[in-house]
């Protein structure tokens, strides 16, 4: 089945630790995105990538890093510089750069700080 | 002014009721529009696209008013299973970076 997978479903981070959230898609989509959602809030864009080996900062990139070495993979690292990382992290993809295509979301990862 | 605005609700309606949500957007050059549904602790899922001529999918009707810069979602004969948060999404004009803008969502609670 085609789709987007995220792992793990739940992730616990200790103070000062970097953690990496996985996002994989087999939809052959060019564009991929990372969002953060806090309780009762909307989605805020962290990073996005419209093509392999290229990515751009979103509205709240500080304390996060990404890579896009393969078309199907867009991992997000939450670094120790992110002081309030507890949130629901959603990865999404869309078919092509530009245009009017909709986005498809993975099931999300919940990050909690110990 | 926020780019995409929605009334957060909650809208609390009985089963069988008709309920409507609006979503306003500030960029008059916006190109495409969508409604997503998000269940509690789940990812958003596409409910329907919004076309200029309006479109209907079963009990759901979406409309676009470009002059007033808003889109709407009408749900007829509400079911308990319609309880969710409904997100409005606006895509910018084509060309350049392609970053959809999400509203914060409208919460719907359908009760027996």
């Amino acid at each position: 089945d085609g789709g987007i997978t995220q792992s793990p479903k739940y992730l616990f981070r200790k103070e000062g630790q970097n953690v990496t959230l996985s996002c994989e898609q087999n939809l052959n989509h060019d564009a991929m995105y990372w969002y953060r959602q806090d309780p009762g809030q909307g989605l805020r864009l962290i990073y996005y990538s419209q093509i392999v080996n290229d990515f751009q900062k979103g509205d709240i990139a500080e304390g996060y890093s990404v890579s896009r070495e393969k078309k199907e993979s867009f991992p997000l690292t939450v670094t120790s510089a992110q002081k309030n990382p507890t949130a629901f992290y959603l990865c999404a993809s869309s078919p092509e750069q530009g245009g009017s295509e909709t986005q498809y979301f993975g099931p999300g990862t919940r990050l909690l700080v110990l | 002014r926020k780019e995409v605005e929605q009334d957060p609700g909650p809208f609390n309606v009985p089963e069988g009721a008709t309920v409507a949500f609006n979503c306003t957007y500030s960029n008059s050059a916006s190109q495409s529009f969508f409604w997503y549904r998000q269940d509690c602790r789940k990812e958003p899922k596409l409910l329907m696209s919004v076309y200029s001529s309006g479109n209907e999918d079963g009990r759901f009707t979406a409309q676009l008013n470009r002059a007033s810069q808003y889109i709407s979602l009408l749900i007829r004969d509400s079911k308990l299973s319609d309880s969710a948060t409904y997100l409005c999404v606006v895509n910018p004009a084509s060309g350049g970076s392609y970053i959809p803008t999400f509203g914060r969502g409208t919460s719907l609670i359908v009760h027996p």
Side-chain angles (χ1 to χ4, degrees), chain A residues 3-44:
Chain A
I4 303 178
T5 57
Q6 290 186 241
S7 63
K9 187 173 182 179
Y10 296 95
L11 184 58
F12 299 91
R13 194 191 90 163
K14 296 179 181 178
E15 292 286 342
Q17 186 181 38
N18 291 356
V19 292
T20 297
L21 284 60
S22 169
C23 177
E24 304 278 331
Q25 54 99 359
N26 60 4
L27 301 167
N28 201 33
H29 287 175
D30 284 320
M32 297 186 74
Y33 311 79
W34 273 106
Y35 294 92
R36 168 181 174 145
Q37 188 175 38
D38 293 279
Q41 303 296 314
L43 277 66
R44 292 188 289 169

Side-chain angles (χ1 to χ4, degrees), chain A residues 10 31 33 35 37 40-43 45 48 50 88 90 94 96-108 110, chain B residues 31-32 34 36 38 40-46 49 87 89 91-100 102-105:
Chain A
Y10 296 95
Y33 311 79
Y35 294 92
Q37 188 175 38
Q41 303 296 314
L43 277 66
L45 183 65
Y48 65 99
Q50 294 176 315
F88 187 38
L90 288 158
S94 61
E96 62 185 57
Q97 176 181 346
S100 59
E101 302 292 338
T102 188
Q103 290 181 314
Y104 298 83
F105 285 85
R110 292 198 179 274
Chain B
Q31 183 183 54
S32 54
F34 306 92
Y36 279 72
Q38 186 174 23
C40 187
R41 304 177 73 82
K42 299 286 189 181
E43 74 274 24
K45 293 186 178 178
L46 178 67
S49 303
L87 304 174
V89 182
N91 285 354
S94 60
S97 62
Y98 165 67
I99 306 301
F102 284 77
R104 293 176 66 174

